[in-house]
Amino acid sequence: AQSVSQHNHHVILSEAASLELGCNYSYGGTVNLFWYVQYPGQHLQLLLKYFSGDPLVKGIKGFEAEFIKSKFSFNLRKPSVQWSDTAEYFCAVNAGQAGTALIFGKGTTLSVSS
Amino acid sequence: NAGVTQTPKFRVLKTGQSMTLLCAQDMNHEYMYWYRQDPGMGLRLIHYSVGEGTTAKGEVPDGYNVSRLKKQNFLLGLESAAPSQTSVYFCASSKAGGRGYGYTFGSGTRLTVV
């Protein structure tokens, strides 16, 4: 069965610091990878997704992620965080086919102080 | 487009009561999913549907039933609510194929069982 691990449960940063959130998945076949963000009291919003091609994916709000197949990883990065990035971040994976359900990691809470 | 609409947005139930959560999508998506979100647990798949008239169990199906009588609607039922079912419930949908398909999430239903 697929699983997703997010190693950082809670990350605390100051504004302008760089961010990297780890995500590893366990699945041997083709996968599609996603990062979602959930701002307090809101529903999930898609930050970025990887299906194929360039393993460095750029998303909204200055976020990017790199797919490293050999490490089964899809880490999320942002060079300079803002207070408004305070939110919970979820990594998710599906088994590479349309319609298969997303499997989510447990999430990482990011707190950014101004 | 409304996208994915969940009703109700909030509900308080007494232990043993029953209720149905409605998810409606207007994007003609084939696939629909119900997740529950609990602190520190991420989103866990309850049930999903790959088309009208079909349903399947996810990771945490016990205590829930679902129906997909119409393509646009996916109902989640709690026959006898328990405090352990206190959670935020999210519905999502996705289309059957095509490159770069994604998932659309509803805004959630916050359910408290007392």
Side-chain angles (χ1 to χ4, degrees):
Chain A
Q2 301 164 60
S3 65
V4 178
S5 297
Q6 292 183 242
H7 311 296
N8 314 104
H9 298 294
H10 192 184
V11 173
I12 302 172
L13 295 173
S14 299
E15 276 194 317
S18 64
L19 170 71
E20 181 161 3
L21 301 182
C23 174
N24 287 89
Y25 65 93
S26 64
Y27 184 70
T30 302
V31 292
N32 297 323
L33 299 153
F34 304 76
W35 273 99
Y36 285 88
V37 61
Q38 187 178 33
Y39 298 102
Q42 298 188 24
H43 60 92
L44 292 170
Q45 299 178 35
L46 180 66
L47 277 178
L48 46 80
K49 59 187 178 184
Y50 173 79
F51 280 68
S52 64
D54 188 344
L56 184 62
V57 181
K58 294 191 183 300
I60 62 171
K61 305 187 181 190
F63 286 91
E64 65 179 30
E66 185 175 12
F67 171 50
I68 303 179
K69 189 175 182 179
S70 61
K71 295 184 177 180
F72 296 90
S73 70
F74 190 56
N75 291 354
L76 181 72
R77 300 195 291 248
K78 186 172 185 179
S80 176
V81 296
Q82 301 172 328
W83 176 82
S84 57
D85 293 324
T86 295
E88 191 160 16
Y89 293 80
F90 294 96
C91 181
V93 61
N94 75 3
Q97 288 181 300
T100 57
L102 282 174
I103 306 301
F104 285 85
K106 293 185 177 182
T108 297
T109 300
L110 172 64
S111 300
V112 180
S113 59
S114 58
Chain B
N1 280 345
V4 176
T5 303
Q6 291 184 233
T7 53
K9 295 191 185 307
F10 303 93
R11 185 73 185 268
V12 178
L13 282 181
K14 293 183 179 180
T15 298
Q17 286 185 318
S18 63
M19 78 164 294
T20 300
L21 282 66
L22 171 63
C23 176
Q25 52 95 2
D26 61 1
M27 299 167 287
N28 202 35
H29 283 174
E30 289 292 330
Y31 300 92
M32 298 186 74
Y33 318 86
W34 276 108
Y35 292 89
R36 60 176 290 173
Q37 183 182 20
D38 303 291
M41 300 297 292
L43 279 78
R44 293 179 291 170
L45 183 67
I46 305 171
H47 286 279
Y48 63 100
S49 168
V50 299
E52 181 178 319
T54 71
T55 63
K57 294 180 180 180
E59 179 186 357
V60 288
D62 294 341
Y64 305 94
N65 57 74
V66 287
S67 64
R68 183 102 182 265
L69 298 180
K70 293 183 179 180
K71 186 177 183 179
Q72 64 268 33
N73 296 337
F74 194 29
L75 279 63
L76 178 70
L78 287 73
E79 290 187 348
S80 180
S84 61
Q85 295 177 303
T86 293
S87 187
V88 180
Y89 292 85
F90 286 98
C91 177
S93 69
S94 68
K95 65 179 183 178
R99 186 173 177 79
Y101 64 88
Y103 298 78
T104 303
F105 283 84
S107 58
T109 295
R110 184 174 294 275
L111 175 66
T112 302
V113 182
V114 299

